[in-house]
Amino acid sequence: MKKNIFTLLVLLLTISGVTAQEWHTDFAKAKKTATAENKPIILVFQGSDWCAPCIKLDREIWSTEAFKKYASKNYVMLQADFPRKKKNALSESQTTANAKLAEAYNKNGIFPFVVILDANGKVLGETSYKKTTPEAYIEELNTFTK
């Protein structure tokens, strides 16, 4: 019985790991991964608990199986979140790190704001929320990396 439960647990974790979106929150680690894997970085500035277009972008693009599957093979995903609700508050160090990213890449404070970077942090392109399909959004992101 214990063996069956353990096997089921491992299977469930494996399945959820395959479909999970890996979001980095540390810029240095994201750059290191991007360099090692030769991938561009997709930096997303969002207000996860107050910005309606940010929530739509997450629901309609980032959280779709089509995007997650493509992104895991082609991008390093980096999130800079700016929640407003106390219950969603980030650590002081993460808040500071996100503010530094915004100072460097989102001076106008646009939300959502998507910045495509090379592994060194050089801006390749910028976009935001668009009412489109995950496939069309991927196409747009890819225009900046070719």
Side-chain angles (χ1 to χ4, degrees), residues 54-80:
C54 300
I55 294 165
K56 285 182 180 181
L57 182 59
D58 182 55
R59 185 174 49 240
E60 296 171 11
I61 305 296
W62 310 138
S63 294
T64 66
E65 289 306 312
F67 187 85
K68 289 191 287 188
K69 184 176 179 182
Y70 187 86
S72 69
K73 295 176 185 168
N74 296 281
Y75 307 133
V76 173
M77 301 299 294
L78 176 62
Q79 183 182 79

Side-chain angles (χ1 to χ4, degrees), residues 7-116:
T7 304
L8 181 62
L9 183 61
V10 169
L11 181 63
L12 288 173
L13 290 173
T14 303
I15 291 170
S16 65
V18 168
T19 59
Q21 178 80 352
E22 184 182 345
W23 285 96
H24 290 267
T25 56
D26 181 309
F27 189 40
K29 287 181 183 175
K31 288 196 306 186
K32 189 174 183 178
T33 301
T35 299
E37 298 178 9
N38 194 30
K39 295 178 182 176
I41 299 168
I42 307 297
L43 168 57
V44 180
F45 291 93
Q46 68 178 25
S48 63
D49 63 4
W50 59 269
C51 169
C54 300
I55 294 165
K56 285 182 180 181
L57 182 59
D58 182 55
R59 185 174 49 240
E60 296 171 11
I61 305 296
W62 310 138
S63 294
T64 66
E65 289 306 312
F67 187 85
K68 289 191 287 188
K69 184 176 179 182
Y70 187 86
S72 69
K73 295 176 185 168
N74 296 281
Y75 307 133
V76 173
M77 301 299 294
L78 176 62
Q79 183 182 79
D81 193 14
F82 293 82
R84 289 186 179 165
K85 294 180 181 172
K86 199 173 195 170
K87 69 178 183 174
N88 299 327
L90 303 174
S91 68
E92 190 174 324
S93 63
Q94 188 65 58
T95 300
T96 301
N98 289 355
K100 285 181 183 177
L101 279 172
E103 191 176 302
Y105 295 105
N106 190 6
K107 289 182 180 12
N108 295 325
I110 300 168
F111 290 92
F113 191 54
V114 180
V115 185
I116 300 80

